[in-house]
Amino acid sequence: MTVNIQTSPSLVSTLTITEPHSLGTALLQSLLTILTKEIDSPTRVLILTASHPEALLADVDALKRMTPTEAFDFSELGQKVCAAIEALPYPVIAAIDGLALGGGCELTLASDLVYATERAQFGQIEVRGGVIPGFGGTWRLARRVGDFKARELLYTGTMLDAQSAKAAGLVTDVFDGSGLLERVNVIATTIANIAPLAIRAAKMMLFTNRDLSLQASNKLESQLFSSLFGTADQKEGMSAFLEKRVPKFVGA
């Protein structure tokens, strides 16, 4: 088994990939199963990380032996995993302390926030192996870093260090390696303690907006905005603000 998931009392779950060069069919199927189950869990934030610096890499030897049909199925499976990350009704934070290349980079592109250590590296390096990204990376990369930067990264197969990835827009922030998960947990806990229905609506808007016109986006935004006024969390949040106290959100 190459992944495990733990839930803390703070409603932050951590999904850890444990083995090197593990981004193959078996791992992707495990991830898809876990992510699908997580939709109905009490989790409010999911941290995606790895305990080995080369865990977020594919087994190139296995890829080399794939037939076109097998490669198509593998690509579709990876796309389903990335779509499942985006479909979760709460934020996913990638915490990277190693290499996130190829499919590993695509997993971070599907995440809401990405934090890294100085030794982390990112890149869609597939052209070096005679192929292109297969998990939706060409689409997400252009929307994360812009069309021209995406072309440069895709055509050259460039690997970016953590600071360069931050400058390009691939990484939210760069932390000290010894305290990465601790700092990410602080951020995750902060988010988990905010009104979960509001966070869910915000994530829905951010991802849905990519396919909507401004007029359609505004209409959906008004619908979600107004629907939150019928929740207990809206009453609690605004009362707490007026009373200058910490709100206690229940997700209802």
Side-chain angles (χ1 to χ4, degrees):
M1 183 66 173
T2 56
V3 293
N4 64 71
I5 191 162
Q6 300 174 332
T7 304
S8 72
S10 64
L11 301 179
V12 174
S13 293
T14 301
L15 192 160
T16 305
I17 301 172
T18 59
E19 297 179 13
H21 301 273
S22 59
L23 280 186
T25 299
L27 175 68
L28 291 175
Q29 289 174 335
S30 295
L31 285 175
L32 188 59
T33 299
I34 290 171
L35 292 168
T36 302
K37 289 181 179 178
E38 269 299 293
I39 289 179
D40 298 319
S41 81
T43 298
R44 294 186 183 178
V45 180
L46 177 65
I47 298 173
L48 174 63
T49 192
S51 59
H52 190 285
E54 296 185 359
L56 293 179
L57 297 178
D59 181 348
V60 178
D61 186 57
L63 290 178
K64 180 183 176 181
R65 296 194 302 270
M66 281 186 181
T67 65
T69 298
E70 291 169 337
F72 185 88
D73 292 340
F74 180 67
S75 173
E76 283 202 324
L77 179 58
Q79 290 171 3
K80 289 178 181 178
V81 170
C82 290
I85 291 173
E86 293 182 334
L88 289 173
Y90 45 78
V92 176
I93 302 176
I96 307 300
D97 184 28
L99 302 178
L101 306 174
C105 186
E106 290 176 285
L107 292 180
T108 71
L109 288 172
S111 302
D112 294 271
L113 299 169
V114 183
Y115 295 98
T117 65
E118 291 286 355
R119 73 170 178 170
Q121 295 186 66
F122 300 81
Q124 299 295 168
I125 62 171
E126 287 87 346
V127 292
R128 296 187 183 189
V131 296
I132 62 172
F135 297 174
T138 52
W139 191 88
R140 291 187 179 90
L141 183 65
R143 281 153 182 80
R144 183 68 64 86
V145 305
D147 186 62
F148 282 120
K149 188 64 177 178
R151 291 173 192 236
E152 178 187 38
L153 295 176
L154 288 169
Y155 296 167
T156 63
T158 298
M159 292 172 55
L160 299 177
D161 60 38
Q163 291 295 348
S164 297
K166 179 183 176 182
L170 282 172
V171 169
T172 310
D173 207 350
V174 181
F175 296 145
D176 186 293
S178 61
L180 176 65
L181 282 179
E182 290 80 1
R183 296 188 70 173
V184 170
N185 266 292
V186 170
I187 296 167
T189 301
T190 298
I191 296 172
N193 286 324
I194 296 173
L197 296 180
I199 297 294
R200 181 175 188 164
K203 177 169 180 175
M204 181 185 296
M205 284 303 309
L206 287 168
F207 283 98
T208 305
N209 274 341
R210 298 178 301 190
D211 300 317
L212 297 179
S213 65
L214 176 59
Q215 182 180 14
S217 174
N218 283 345
K219 182 176 182 179
L220 178 59
E221 185 176 88
S222 292
Q223 291 172 343
L224 292 175
F225 172 75
S226 59
S227 70
L228 293 169
F229 278 74
T231 66
D233 280 352
Q234 178 264 336
K235 301 296 187 290
E236 167 64 11
M238 293 189 178
S239 295
F241 179 82
L242 293 171
E243 297 165 12
K244 296 181 172 55
R245 61 176 175 82
V246 178
K248 295 181 180 180
F249 296 114
V250 296

